[in-house]
Amino acid sequence: MSPRDGLSTRRFYRDSRRGMIGGVCAGIADYFAFNLTATRILTVVMLISFMPVTLLAYFGCVMLVPSDRGLTRQESYDPGFRKAMRSNPANTLADVKRKFQKLDSRLARLERYVTSSRFNLDQEFRNL
């Protein structure tokens, strides 16, 4: 990936829109393309098992990791694509390549039709 795409320059932020307590779990789930519910359940299990360490790490993240509130996110991309790209980039790029090949073949058919004599004949019939 080139440094110009938004996927390679992503950063870890607390997601305050989907967060419950500080947005750390939502930020982790977004950054690693995990399921948010599974991330929260894993956090609760870790809290029960290793309470002092988990609390210290969680509230350390709340204090040290910046929130996404101050950011102006450009949601011009498809969030589902971004998540799929993080979890399985090879399949996602193959899907995009297939879509572009389909579009290219449709465009080639359209160009053949527009430059053919059939197009001129159809235009003459429409003008009658």
Side-chain angles (χ1 to χ4, degrees):
M1 281 188 235
S2 70
R4 284 179 269 139
D5 17 341
L7 297 173
S8 63
T9 58
R10 71 181 193 266
R11 293 191 55 201
F12 173 58
Y13 292 102
R14 291 183 294 121
D15 190 351
S16 58
R17 290 174 287 123
R18 298 185 313 152
M20 294 178 95
I21 303 173
V24 175
C25 288
I28 290 171
D30 183 50
Y31 184 77
F32 291 109
F34 292 153
N35 184 346
L36 178 57
T37 306
T39 305
R40 287 179 176 154
I41 290 171
L42 184 63
T43 303
V44 169
V45 168
M46 287 181 60
L47 182 64
I48 293 169
S49 302
F50 311 104
M51 183 182 276
V53 175
T54 305
L55 282 176
L56 185 65
Y58 192 89
F59 288 114
C61 284
V62 169
M63 296 297 182
L64 297 175
V65 175
S67 176
D68 66 345
R69 282 188 189 172
L71 301 175
T72 56
R73 276 192 171 175
Q74 293 181 343
E75 298 288 335
S76 62
Y77 58 86
D78 181 16
F81 175 77
R82 189 176 95 178
K83 184 175 181 178
M85 189 65 185
R86 285 184 184 170
S87 62
N88 197 348
N91 285 345
T92 305
L93 289 177
D95 290 343
V96 169
K97 184 178 178 182
R98 275 193 297 275
K99 287 179 183 178
F100 276 114
Q101 286 173 343
K102 284 169 101 177
L103 288 172
D104 190 42
S105 67
R106 286 178 61 191
L107 182 62
R109 279 185 292 163
L110 180 67
E111 287 176 347
R112 274 195 309 271
Y113 173 69
V114 169
T115 58
S116 70
S117 60
R118 172 80 183 183
F119 177 74
N120 294 333
L121 183 63
D122 289 342
Q123 287 290 12
E124 292 293 326
F125 279 123
R126 283 190 204 124
N127 291 335
L128 288 179

